[in-house]
Amino acid sequence: MNTTPSAGHSPRPEPGLLDASFHDLFMDCCRLGPAPTRSRELFAIGVTAVLIGLVLVIVQPPLAAGAFAVGIAGAFMAVRWGIGTRDKWTRR
């Protein structure tokens, strides 16, 4: 019988934006699913938006192609946010 205080203790929660390493933040930007916390997901969305903006400025595609790319990326980020809000972040 284990009577130590940490016997039924759950693992530590994921670190927030200020406590996460650069590797964790980079992986949040690369994975398809949402980040472990809202703050890290907002960071990933911001980085993605900046990178898409830089690519569009450098490549200078036609307006329709640029609008299509921004729309697809926005829809993808909205789905990631929705999944995180519904499933992942509510359990904390």
Side-chain angles (χ1 to χ4, degrees), residues 10 31 45 83:
S10 63
R31 68 173 53 115
I45 288 172
I83 291 170

Side-chain angles (χ1 to χ4, degrees), residues 7-58:
H9 192 268
S10 63
R12 292 176 51 187
E14 290 284 338
L17 179 63
L18 297 178
D19 301 326
S21 67
F22 286 120
H23 177 264
D24 292 337
L25 296 174
F26 176 73
M27 293 308 295
D28 290 343
C29 293
C30 293
R31 68 173 53 115
L32 293 176
T37 63
R38 282 186 178 96
S39 61
R40 286 171 58 176
E41 181 64 24
L42 285 173
F43 176 81
I45 288 172
V47 167
T48 303
V50 167
L51 290 176
I52 289 172
L54 285 172
V55 167
L56 291 177
V57 166
I58 291 170

Side-chain angles (χ1 to χ4, degrees), residues 8 13-14 19 29 35 51-52 57 59 63-64 79-82 85 92:
E14 290 284 338
D19 301 326
C29 293
L51 290 176
I52 289 172
V57 166
V59 175
L63 183 60
V79 167
R80 275 180 58 147
W81 184 266
T85 301
R92 298 183 189 273

Side-chain angles (χ1 to χ4, degrees), residues 60-80:
Q60 294 182 351
L63 183 60
F68 181 75
V70 169
I72 293 294
F76 177 71
M77 288 186 270
V79 167
R80 275 180 58 147

